[in-house]
Amino acid sequence: MYKTKQLEMIYNYMQKAEGHVTVKDVERYFEQNNSKLGLATIYRNLQKLVEKGVVAKYVIAGTNSACFEFLGECQHEACIHLKCESCGEIFHLNCKSILEVKEHINDSHGFNLNLRSTIFYGLCDKCKNKYKEKSV
């Protein structure tokens, strides 16, 4: 891949970024560090990193918004994400059992899941416990 200074800057930022970031987060970071990058440049370079397979793009259900994540801890096939419907936090789940589900869906239903782009929705323990306390 042809490397530009902007691509390298965004790659370095994504390596250090914790969790999932939006294009606005990237733009804000560079503005705060006196390196203004335009939104089009950020979008274009994030897409290049997605195509290269080092960054994942997740579209948030019910919106056109996307977030991006460096795949450092999700380089293996058995990584999926869990999103809390209450607080919105996204969690990594590295679980080899999901590979059995993927195989079943492929073999029995003829559909090959892209696990890195798979998000399961539900409630995290913290929010689940809040709801339990309210109902007591």
Side-chain angles (χ1 to χ4, degrees):
M1 179 190 323
Y2 177 71
K3 277 192 175 180
T4 63
K5 179 181 176 185
Q6 292 87 354
L7 179 63
E8 191 171 339
M9 290 168 61
I10 292 171
Y11 176 81
N12 290 336
Y13 166 77
M14 291 301 296
Q15 271 189 304
K16 295 176 203 163
E18 293 185 22
H20 303 83
V21 298
T22 65
V23 170
K24 285 291 191 186
D25 294 330
V26 177
E27 180 186 42
R28 193 175 312 113
Y29 169 82
F30 284 107
E31 282 178 355
Q32 290 171 350
N33 289 283
N34 300 316
S35 299
K36 186 151 171 54
L37 293 177
L39 283 176
T41 299
I42 295 169
Y43 276 111
R44 184 174 55 254
N45 285 290
L46 282 172
Q47 187 58 40
K48 286 180 183 178
L49 294 172
V50 168
E51 290 166 5
K52 190 173 181 185
V54 295
V55 168
K57 178 180 181 179
Y58 304 100
V59 177
I60 299 164
T63 71
N64 290 330
S65 299
C67 61
F68 298 86
E69 174 187 36
F70 186 74
L71 289 174
E73 64 181 273
C74 265
Q75 288 292 333
H76 47 85
E77 188 181 13
C79 182
I80 61 169
H81 296 84
L82 309 173
K83 180 171 182 178
C84 180
E85 293 175 301
S86 179
C87 68
E89 189 166 348
I90 298 176
F91 303 89
H92 290 275
L93 177 64
N94 297 313
C95 179
K96 292 190 188 262
S97 295
I98 197 68
L99 296 175
E100 294 171 22
V101 173
K102 178 183 179 182
E103 186 177 324
H104 166 77
I105 290 171
N106 189 31
D107 293 348
S108 299
H109 306 286
F111 191 83
N112 189 24
L113 286 177
N114 176 354
L115 293 179
R116 288 191 182 126
S117 295
T118 300
I119 301 175
F120 287 104
Y121 293 85
L123 290 176
C124 69
D125 278 341
K126 188 172 78 179
C127 292
K128 190 171 46 178
N129 289 333
K130 273 195 249 179
Y131 286 115
K132 281 182 187 175
E133 290 171 9
K134 286 182 182 178
S135 63
V136 173

